[in-house]
Amino acid sequence: MQWDTPLIVIYVITDALVALSYYSIPAALFFLAFKRRQSVPLQPLLILFGLFIAFCGGGHAIDIVSLWKPVYWLKGLWNIGTAVTSVITAIALVPQVMEFVRMPETAARLRREKSDLEEQQSLIRAVLDSTDDGMVLVGEDGSTLLYNAAAQRVLGSGIPSVDWPQHRAQDQDTVRLPNGRLVERLTRPVSGYGQLYVVRDITERRMLEEQRLRLERVIQTMKQGFAIVAGDSASIVTTNPSFDAMYGGRPGELLGRPFESLLTGDEGERREVHEQIRRQIFREGYWEGETVNQRGDGTAFVAQCRINLHSQGESKLFSVIQTDITEQKKREEESRKLEQKMLQTAKLESVGLLAGGIAHDFNNLLTGILGNASLAYEQLSPSSPLRGRLHDVISASQRAADLTRQLLAYAGKGRFLMEPVEVNGLIREISNLVRMSIPRNVDVELALGEAAQVEADAAQIQQLLMNLIINGAEAIGEDRSGRVVVSTSAERLSPAGQSEALTDPLPPGRYSVIEVRDNGCGMSAETLAQIFDPFFTTKFTGRGLGLAAAIGIARGHRGSIQVRSTPGAGSTFRILLPVIHSTVPQRLPERTELSGEHTTGTVLIIDDEPSVRSTATAALEYHGYRVLNAESGARGVDIFEERSADISVVLLDLTMPSMSGEETLRLLRKIRPGVRVILSSGFNETEAMRRFADIQLAGFLQKPYTSGELIESVRAALVES
């Protein structure tokens, strides 16, 4: 057999390549199995398959060797090994082939399992994203493995990456994030992965807690009382210390009590007030007003109250803010009464000024009438028929003078003959007269206490008492029996003891108190506020000047009147007059009847009223005096300066326009300090003496006066000179 060299070369090369290819397959498989032994385990089938490929490759290598040296026994053994491994491999591949046959079914199952896994993953993701707490799974290397939407909101957009502490024990803490948010952090270890952090944003909650704490501190320290009341049961849920103190209770003592139990009144009244408040709250959302409440000790107080409605779902709450305004209400009431009193005083003073002005003008007119009538009466012979008519004129003038004195008494400027008077004796003197002046069904009882002396005009005080007693009898009426009790006492008045019922405030000191009390019909508060008005009366035909004159008399005696009255229970009038001791203020000497001596001299009459000047001039000239007239104070000063040496007495009017009598008198004293001056006025002598306390007067002549009184005063002044 001849060798074909090229053919041999081709045969050797191809078999070598096939053998090499066969050996590369198991080498690659074993290398892959060795490198990935953790994820791809070395299975028996893989070994069998590798051996089968190796035997196949080895057969090709033996064929190449056999070209030069036949080794048929080796070839046979090798083929036996190849056959055995191929059979074993084929048998081992049967399950794999069957599995391959079933591969479409397996793929479908895998797709179903994948879908289930994806659904579970979506469900888990939805659950994780639905929670408000952020969840972050941090690996061992610090990388973020898992997070939910809440973690993105809390930690920031994108993949949350935070320098989380590693290998933390299972614990819970609070941290401030770099973005300023405050989070509560819960740490849990996850085996095989790292740490699971659950974070909860508590920034708003912490702010609300801080606001709640601040509000609670404000509520606990506020001066106003604060409480929360349940809307359904109306029971008190919460109170602050001021609210507890307002009701005199210990902290927490009011909790659970019905709110209406804090109000005054019986159960029905409290429930009615409470229901009215609740209706407005549910209608308007709030109620504001004043309530009268009751403390634990039973005392009442007035509170300014504001109640607001708060809804929390189906439940409702009331917040109550109260301020104790009892003292404020007292001050307001005192201020109101003081204002009313000031208005009343101003009104009385205004009417008093009017009455005083009218009385002054009336006195000037009456001086002319009474002076001329008395002078004419004096000049007529006793048998003249005109004397009777002149007597009537004089009597009418004197009655008119009584009317002006009543007006002056109301104005507090009447002519009072002040002298020490024992009050109890004064009352006894008029008791019989009073009993005859009132109906028989009314008894007058005297309950005279401590005897006290006052400086007073006895006639004026008696007139005042007569008015009060008669008023009390008229309040009782004629259809039933009653009594008027007149009592006396003495009391010391202090600044703190000034009663609000006094018509005028009094200085501290000791006062004699004359009390007139009746059990008549009494007076309402409205009537009581007007009883001293000169034009107010409850009588059908009354003039209303009786009590107005009474207060004028009291004022003229430096006293005051206190009135208390209740409808159906009668009235009580208390007259307070200052008590005197052993000394009594000096008065001008009483006039005495003088003889016809001292009927010469010059009298300067200074008066702005022409009728007064003419009447006085006629009377003085009739009795032999020379008279000079001046219509004003300035004119009188001029005349006196010119003829000072000739003038014996000056008759000076107290009230004149431009230059008053007081100013005129001081100028006259500058010209001649010892000049004798008789002061003439329609006002009372006490007022005149007070205004001229530092100047010695020769006399005082009350207008209107008769010609005889004028002559008597002039003669007395000349005698003293």
Side-chain angles (χ1 to χ4, degrees):
M1 181 176 179
Q2 189 177 0
W3 291 84
D4 189 353
T5 302
L7 182 61
I8 294 298
V9 172
I10 292 173
Y11 180 80
V12 171
I13 292 173
T14 55
D15 273 348
L17 290 174
V18 170
L20 183 62
S21 299
Y22 274 118
Y23 281 112
S24 66
I25 291 174
L29 289 174
F30 281 108
F31 178 77
L32 179 63
F34 178 79
K35 294 297 290 186
R36 301 292 181 135
R37 58 182 181 274
Q38 289 185 350
S39 58
V40 183
L42 190 62
Q43 298 181 1
L45 180 60
L46 184 60
I47 297 173
L48 287 174
F49 187 71
L51 288 175
F52 171 72
I53 296 299
F55 273 111
C56 290
H60 285 281
I62 293 173
D63 288 341
I64 295 173
V65 173
S66 295
L67 289 176
W68 289 277
K69 184 179 180 179
V71 283
Y72 296 110
W73 59 270
L74 181 61
K75 177 66 174 177
L77 291 175
W78 196 267
N79 286 338
I80 292 172
T82 303
V84 172
T85 55
S86 64
V87 171
I88 295 174
T89 302
I91 293 172
L93 282 174
V94 171
Q96 303 299 325
V97 172
M98 295 302 295
E99 185 176 350
F100 179 76
V101 172
R102 294 193 300 269
M103 187 171 292
E105 183 180 346
T106 302
R109 179 177 57 80
L110 292 175
R111 284 194 298 270
R112 287 195 302 272
E113 291 178 355
K114 179 182 178 183
S115 177
D116 292 342
L117 289 174
E118 289 176 349
E119 184 177 353
Q120 290 180 2
Q121 186 178 8
S122 298
L123 178 61
I124 293 172
R125 171 59 63 182
V127 171
L128 291 176
D129 288 343
S130 64
T131 181
D132 292 331
D133 294 335
M135 295 184 181
V136 181
L137 181 60
V138 181
E140 296 291 342
D141 58 353
S143 62
T144 302
L145 302 179
L146 178 68
Y147 60 89
N148 64 350
Q152 284 186 305
R153 291 195 303 270
V154 174
L155 303 175
S157 61
I159 299 176
S161 178
V162 180
D163 185 16
W164 301 102
Q166 299 298 311
H167 307 295
R168 292 172 54 88
Q170 180 174 317
D171 62 359
Q172 183 175 353
D173 60 358
T174 302
V175 295
R176 178 77 65 177
L177 299 179
N179 60 8
R181 308 296 292 180
L182 186 67
V183 297
E184 192 176 63
R185 180 173 61 186
L186 176 66
T187 307
R188 291 289 186 274
V190 180
S191 178
Y193 290 94
Q195 297 281 119
L196 175 64
Y197 292 95
V198 180
V199 292
R200 178 176 299 167
D201 190 346
I202 61 171
T203 307
E204 283 74 17
R205 189 183 75 183
R206 183 63 60 86
M207 292 174 60
L208 290 175
E209 288 179 355
E210 291 176 354
Q211 291 176 359
R212 181 185 63 80
L213 291 174
R214 285 196 297 267
L215 179 60
E216 185 175 346
R217 284 195 295 269
V218 170
I219 290 174
Q220 292 298 314
T221 57
M222 64 191 295
K223 293 182 178 180
Q224 293 86 355
F226 179 85
I228 295 178
V229 179
D232 51 355
S233 62
S235 59
I236 300 173
V237 178
T238 303
T239 60
N240 71 343
S242 296
F243 195 89
D244 295 329
M246 195 176 297
Y247 288 90
R250 296 185 301 274
E253 185 177 349
L254 299 175
L255 300 184
R257 283 184 55 180
F259 181 73
E260 68 179 62
S261 66
L262 304 180
L263 303 173
T264 57
D266 57 33
E267 184 177 356
E269 293 172 341
R270 292 198 302 267
R271 183 177 296 109
E272 181 180 357
V273 172
H274 185 254
E275 287 302 320
Q276 290 177 356
I277 294 175
R278 283 176 63 89
R279 283 196 295 270
Q280 180 173 336
I281 292 174
F282 284 115
R283 184 176 63 252
E284 304 289 342
Y286 74 97
W287 180 87
E288 188 171 8
E290 296 178 2
T291 58
V292 182
N293 305 315
Q294 183 172 317
R295 295 189 176 92
D297 59 1
T299 59
F301 69 96
V302 183
Q304 179 68 36
C305 185
R306 167 83 183 206
I307 305 177
N308 295 304
L309 174 63
H310 306 276
S311 299
Q312 292 183 342
E314 295 297 327
S315 64
K316 298 184 183 299
L317 295 173
F318 302 137
S319 63
V320 182
I321 300 177
Q322 283 189 343
T323 304
D324 188 346
I325 59 172
T326 306
E327 294 302 321
Q328 176 185 337
K329 297 293 289 185
K330 289 181 180 179
R331 290 192 297 270
E332 289 177 356
E333 180 65 17
E334 291 173 357
S335 177
R336 185 187 64 81
K337 290 182 178 180
L338 179 60
E339 182 178 357
Q340 288 182 344
K341 193 170 184 179
M342 291 176 65
L343 289 174
Q344 177 72 6
T345 301
K347 181 167 61 175
L348 293 176
E349 287 179 352
S350 298
V351 179
L353 290 174
L354 176 62
I358 293 173
H360 175 265
D361 292 340
F362 263 67
N363 275 330
N364 284 335
L365 295 175
L366 289 173
T367 299
I369 296 171
L370 185 59
N372 282 313
S374 61
L375 180 60
Y377 185 85
E378 184 180 349
Q379 290 175 341
L380 289 174
S381 63
S383 59
S384 174
L386 296 179
R387 285 176 66 92
R389 294 187 178 183
L390 287 175
H391 185 272
D392 292 340
V393 172
I394 294 172
S395 297
S397 299
Q398 288 174 339
R399 288 195 298 273
D402 291 337
L403 178 59
T404 60
R405 278 192 288 272
Q406 193 174 7
L407 286 173
L408 288 170
Y410 169 72
K413 299 177 179 179
R415 182 188 182 189
F416 299 147
L417 301 176
M418 307 298 283
E419 58 186 359
V421 174
E422 200 271 309
V423 175
N424 290 349
L426 191 69
I427 295 173
R428 291 190 188 95
E429 288 178 7
I430 64 168
S431 59
N432 292 331
L433 177 62
V434 168
R435 290 187 175 94
M436 291 186 294
S437 303
I438 60 177
R440 294 184 179 273
N441 61 305
V442 179
D443 291 333
V444 177
E445 299 180 7
L446 303 183
L448 306 181
E450 178 182 351
Q453 272 198 342
V454 297
E455 186 182 13
D457 185 322
Q460 294 289 343
I461 297 300
Q462 287 177 340
Q463 182 64 45
L464 186 155
L465 292 174
M466 287 280 290
N467 286 344
L468 295 181
I469 295 171
I470 292 173
N471 282 347
E474 291 177 346
I476 295 171
E478 298 182 359
D479 55 347
R480 68 183 183 92
S481 61
R483 63 176 185 170
V484 178
V485 180
V486 182
S487 60
T488 58
S489 62
E491 66 181 46
R492 181 169 295 279
L493 195 63
S494 63
Q498 291 281 345
S499 171
E500 61 181 17
L502 285 174
T503 55
D504 298 282
L506 296 174
R510 187 171 174 79
Y511 288 84
S512 175
V513 181
I514 307 172
E515 183 176 283
V516 179
R517 183 177 69 255
D518 66 74
N519 60 350
C521 60
M523 293 178 285
S524 65
E526 292 76 13
T527 301
L528 196 61
Q530 304 178 75
I531 58 173
F532 293 112
D533 286 358
F535 305 112
F536 174 80
T537 181
T538 57
K539 303 175 184 178
F540 181 71
T541 58
R543 296 181 301 277
L545 199 56
L547 288 177
I551 194 173
I553 293 172
R555 287 172 177 168
H557 287 77
R558 294 177 291 115
S560 185
I561 298 179
Q562 184 183 61
V563 187
R564 295 191 182 97
S565 184
T566 304
S571 303
T572 300
F573 287 79
R574 303 177 79 235
I575 303 101
L576 284 79
L577 301 174
V579 173
I580 62 170
H581 301 289
S582 58
T583 59
V584 179
Q586 288 189 354
R587 290 177 27 82
L588 293 177
E590 296 292 334
R591 297 187 184 98
T592 57
E593 291 295 331
L594 302 175
S595 62
E597 60 184 2
H598 299 288
T599 58
T600 60
T602 302
V603 180
L604 172 60
I605 302 174
I606 306 176
D607 200 301
D608 62 313
E609 181 61 37
S611 62
V612 173
R613 294 196 305 273
S614 63
T615 301
T617 299
L620 290 170
E621 288 180 345
Y622 177 75
H623 286 276
Y625 296 96
R626 294 182 297 278
V627 180
L628 299 174
N629 279 285
E631 69 280 4
S632 66
R635 178 58 181 160
V637 172
D638 292 341
I639 294 175
F640 188 78
E641 188 173 12
E642 294 175 1
R643 304 185 58 179
S644 173
D646 300 332
I647 296 173
S648 306
V649 178
V650 177
L651 180 61
L652 177 63
D653 185 20
L654 176 62
T655 306
M656 292 183 295
S658 300
M659 183 181 292
S660 66
E662 184 178 1
E663 185 180 357
T664 302
L665 177 56
R666 297 189 187 281
L667 292 176
L668 295 177
R669 290 282 185 177
K670 287 183 179 180
I671 298 172
R672 197 176 85 193
V675 60
R676 308 298 296 166
V677 177
I678 300 172
L679 193 64
S680 175
S681 174
F683 297 148
N684 64 68
E685 182 176 344
T686 304
E687 174 69 13
M689 295 302 101
R690 182 188 64 80
R691 294 172 63 176
F692 295 95
D694 57 339
I695 300 177
Q696 183 67 35
L697 294 174
F700 179 83
L701 192 59
Q702 172 76 39
K703 290 182 180 180
Y705 48 80
T706 64
S707 61
E709 292 171 339
L710 172 60
I711 300 304
E712 185 178 338
S713 295
V714 172
R715 287 178 179 175
L718 291 174
V719 168
E720 291 179 11
S721 64

